[in-house]
Amino acid sequence: MKAVWVIAKKELRAYFTSPIAYVVMTVFLVLVGFFFYSLMWWFNAQSMQAAQNPAYAQQMNINQMVFGPLFNNMSIILLLMLPLLTMRLFAEEKKIGTEELLMTSPITVGQVIAGKFLASFLVLAAMLALTGILAVFPFLYGNPELLPILNGYLGLLLMGGAFLAIGIFFSSLTENQIVAAILTFGALLLFWILNWASSSAAGFWKDVLNYVSFFQHFDNATQGILDTADLIYYASFAFFGLFLTHSVIQSRRWR
């Protein structure tokens, strides 16, 4: 575990001594802030109208009308931003020639991968934690339910972890960071929109496409529902991405 933390600290230093982490976090927070402000403005306008219509007022729910759409928007922004966090993790090592030092060091391949994944996961957690500041305002002036919001954040964290694992895998395939980012984005987008194809499928294939799609599993989280099947799906996806990375690095180690 100590070796994993040493690698994670090295990667965290690399993130925050370069513009990458600052740019990704700033763009993420600005976009999330914009969507949050827009949704709150729309919710307030609806509330003003509902004040004159008691029947409509009973249907007003800030969790469903603000946080549900906000989590959906945040998931799309993560899909765009996280490939930028993972693109350099192995590609840069390969390009500048430090990968061989890692391969010949007493640290195992699994520890190297776990350390790099942990560093990127901590940056993701920090990004999501900072957006939690926005959630304070509805609690100051309203009465939203806390548990569905926490479930939504947990869904974003787990889905982001799966995104990072896929990004690390593509970074291990090439020394070109741009190529790694584009491949990651393409793969994530494909898994996101697979449920669109399920609408034209039937039977077994419809179920398969729905199951492997990110969107289908994240839909529960936006509604504040924590489903064990979704947790298993994200954990399996992350494990599979890291397993593929381990296979790629290990195969190079023995050449």
Side-chain angles (χ1 to χ4, degrees):
M1 191 62 195
K2 186 178 177 182
V4 172
W5 182 237
V6 169
I7 296 290
K9 284 199 295 185
K10 169 183 169 288
E11 294 301 333
L12 285 171
R13 273 197 301 272
Y15 274 130
F16 289 100
T17 53
S18 72
I20 294 177
Y22 299 105
V23 171
V24 169
M25 292 176 83
T26 301
V27 172
F28 178 74
L29 293 174
V30 168
L31 290 174
V32 172
F34 170 77
F35 284 116
F36 179 77
Y37 174 80
S38 301
L39 287 165
M40 285 301 297
W41 182 86
W42 175 76
F43 181 77
N44 286 334
Q46 295 297 310
S47 299
M48 296 291 285
Q49 294 181 16
Q52 302 171 0
N53 185 344
Y56 182 52
Q58 292 180 354
Q59 300 174 17
M60 298 290 292
N61 185 316
I62 193 169
N63 287 84
Q64 294 176 5
M65 298 174 72
V66 173
F67 286 99
L70 179 66
F71 288 142
N72 260 326
N73 292 330
M74 288 171 70
S75 65
I76 298 292
I77 302 169
L78 287 179
L79 189 148
L80 297 170
M81 294 285 107
L82 293 187
L84 302 178
L85 280 184
T86 57
M87 65 182 186
R88 53 161 289 280
L89 287 175
F90 277 105
E92 188 179 60
E93 302 269 13
K94 195 173 179 182
K95 186 172 183 178
I96 63 178
T98 53
E99 188 186 53
E100 288 185 9
L101 294 176
L102 281 177
M103 296 303 107
T104 55
S105 71
I107 301 174
T108 66
V109 173
Q111 289 170 327
V112 172
I113 295 171
K116 289 176 178 291
F117 177 75
L118 177 61
S120 58
F121 192 76
L122 289 175
V123 175
L124 167 66
M127 289 165 59
L128 294 177
L130 288 172
T131 66
I133 297 171
L134 297 172
V136 171
F137 295 101
F139 281 96
L140 289 177
Y141 301 104
N143 190 28
E145 296 178 61
L146 177 61
L147 190 58
I149 295 174
L150 293 178
N151 284 342
Y153 272 106
L154 179 60
L156 283 172
L157 190 64
L158 295 175
M159 186 179 66
F163 286 3
L164 293 173
I166 297 300
I168 291 173
F169 165 63
F170 282 112
S171 180
S172 71
L173 293 178
T174 176
E175 64 178 36
N176 189 312
Q177 297 184 32
I178 301 300
V179 171
I182 292 173
L183 288 174
T184 305
F185 173 71
L188 296 180
L189 186 61
L190 177 64
F191 279 102
W192 189 267
I193 62 176
L194 273 179
N195 74 314
W196 296 359
S198 71
S199 59
S200 57
F204 172 76
W205 289 111
K206 185 181 181 71
D207 294 337
V208 169
L209 291 172
N210 275 330
Y211 182 77
V212 298
S213 169
F214 283 125
F215 181 84
Q216 196 68 21
H217 291 273
F218 190 64
D219 196 39
N220 284 333
T222 62
Q223 299 173 37
I225 301 170
L226 186 62
D227 193 321
T228 309
D230 299 331
L231 301 182
I232 293 172
Y233 169 82
Y234 289 128
S236 303
F237 219 100
F239 175 80
F240 186 61
L242 297 178
F243 171 76
L244 290 178
T245 307
H246 186 278
S247 301
V248 170
I249 301 296
Q250 193 72 2
S251 67
R252 281 209 292 268
R253 196 174 197 177
W254 293 108
R255 281 178 192 169

